[in-house]
Amino acid sequence: MMTDPIADMLSRIRNALMVERPYVDIPTSRVKVGIAEALQREGYIWDFEIIDEKPRAKLRINLKFGPNGERVIQKIRRVSTPGRRVYSGIAKTPEVLQGLGVFILSTNQGVLSSREAKAKNVGGEVLCEVY
């Protein structure tokens, strides 16, 4: 049994980036699909797809690299953990690297990046930080 599936997802992405894999397969869930959608909207990954295989579906994330092979995602870090939940109102959400990165938040309107959450004027649980 896995205690923190979101941290597992982020570790798999981090490890695939280190060895320059073009994609990574992850066990799927609604929150993980929401995180992948937010990463795609912000331009950190190319795209993702859900692969229906027995006995469990997989989420395949196609990673993005620059023209010279440099990583687009320099750092991806879990903020809120099962033992320490971190919540943020929209007024108190700090910027990541002075606006160069984003936080991924779980809100009542779905999983959003910090830019989208500010535009919709909602806060929520800070899942991870990406830059």
Side-chain angles (χ1 to χ4, degrees):
M1 182 175 146
M2 193 180 316
T3 58
D4 193 359
I6 296 173
D8 177 64
M9 173 190 181
L10 301 178
S11 293
R12 287 178 189 231
I13 291 172
R14 217 177 3 257
N15 291 340
L17 287 167
M18 290 294 212
V19 295
E20 298 178 359
R21 296 262 323 247
Y23 64 88
V24 62
D25 289 338
I26 300 167
T28 189
S29 73
R30 286 185 298 194
V31 175
K32 292 177 186 179
V33 170
I35 292 172
E37 288 173 348
L39 288 173
Q40 183 181 12
R41 287 191 302 265
E42 290 295 324
Y44 287 106
I45 62 172
W46 285 116
D47 60 353
F48 65 93
E49 60 184 323
I50 297 173
I51 301 171
D52 288 327
E53 290 181 358
K54 300 292 181 193
R56 184 156 165 94
K58 293 181 184 177
L59 175 67
R60 177 168 286 172
I61 296 177
N62 295 313
L63 301 172
K64 194 174 196 178
F65 294 94
N68 296 327
E70 63 271 4
R71 294 178 290 182
V72 173
I73 298 175
Q74 295 296 317
K75 186 170 184 179
I76 186 165
R77 181 180 69 91
R78 179 85 155 114
V79 175
S80 183
T81 63
R84 184 182 62 97
R85 299 291 185 187
V86 177
Y87 296 94
S88 176
I90 197 59
K92 293 185 178 182
T93 303
E95 289 187 347
V96 179
L97 284 180
Q98 299 175 351
L100 294 177
V102 294
F103 284 113
I104 305 292
L105 289 91
S106 175
T107 68
N108 60 355
Q109 296 183 10
V111 179
L112 303 172
S113 69
S114 54
R115 292 184 187 117
E116 296 166 334
K118 283 184 183 180
K120 292 185 177 186
N121 200 23
V122 293
E125 181 182 358
V126 182
L127 297 176
C128 63
E129 164 188 44
V130 183
Y131 59 87

